[in-house]
Amino acid sequence: MSRTFAAVVAHPDDDTFGVAGTVALHADDPDFRFVLIHATSGEAGPIADPALATRETLGTVREEEDRRSWAVLGREPDRHEWLRYPDHGLADVPFDELVDRITEILREERPDVVSTFGPDGITGHPDHIRVGEATAAAFHRLRAEAVDGFERLIRVAIPQSLLDGWNEQLVAAGKEPMDPTQLYQPRGVPDDTIGLRVDTSSVAARVVQALREHHTQAGDIQDMTDDEQLEMLSREHGVVDWPPRGSADPVLHDVFDRLD
Ligand SMILES: [Zn+2]
């Protein structure tokens, strides 16, 4: 039976951090279909090396970096849509328009599982929060229309215990801990709200290689050792936003786990 997974994110590299391991685990499955939607091309982001891009070319360069990241991972999206809304400007796009654009693609694809950001946007980034809200609205609109698929909505998240562990390591190494009250710093969610925990350790080396294709964003990971990068990318977590999760429900180990 074929299964479709759709990920809806804000910027090039959000996908690498959030779902690349999950996709890599399904890379050899002929019945797996992967749909990827980027709301922006990330043109307002950092430029790690001025030789790589200018402010004018950064969006185009980052789209190409993202395409290469999936090629290096070994599983390219079956469909990849760039909505090309303004980076750092998603909150200014009329919300209904953003929902409509996402709905249109998801209606054609009827994914079994949709993944996007949760209300914390992982880092509090307003674009992340907005694309998560719009994707959830699109998901529930299509469910209400009784379109096939749309069995599960995942909001990517970081368990608080994992964030605490990273911070302990930072402090032990004499570095500043991450501060979740600051914009663009990672936030955790209570561990007991995590409904999806995917062990991506078997493909983490490939995800690290994919992440390194985002050359213009190298500043994000330049302070981390190879082992730290591997460790960070050895698992992916999410909150199961739909269907509502009971406190006794088991933690899922794959986005398609326990679907009929
Ligand atoms: Zn982002």
Side-chain angles (χ1 to χ4, degrees), residues 38-80:
H38 274 96
T40 86
S41 304
E43 72 278 4
I47 302 173
D49 176 348
L52 296 172
T54 64
R55 187 53 59 199
E56 290 66 38
T57 64
L58 184 60
T60 308
V61 168
R62 291 192 69 184
E63 288 188 14
E64 183 57 24
E65 287 178 342
D66 198 81
R67 275 190 284 272
R68 286 196 47 77
S69 79
W70 288 102
V72 163
L73 185 81
R75 181 62 167 85
E76 294 173 70
D78 297 289
R79 178 175 181 178
H80 192 170

Side-chain angles (χ1 to χ4, degrees), residues 9-14 62 87 117 121 123 125 127-128:
V9 298
H11 313 110
D13 81 359
D14 294 343
R62 291 192 69 184
D87 183 13
F117 286 104
T123 60
H125 195 309
D127 285 349
H128 294 182

Side-chain angles (χ1 to χ4, degrees), residues 165-202:
W166 289 340
N167 273 342
E168 282 167 22
Q169 288 172 24
L170 285 170
V171 171
K175 297 177 187 168
E176 277 292 304
M178 296 176 281
D179 178 357
T181 67
Q182 298 298 308
L183 190 58
Y184 309 134
Q185 296 272 306
R187 284 98 167 106
V189 301
D191 282 39
D192 61 3
T193 64
I194 292 289
L196 172 72
R197 179 179 296 124
V198 184
D199 178 353
T200 58
S201 54
S202 64

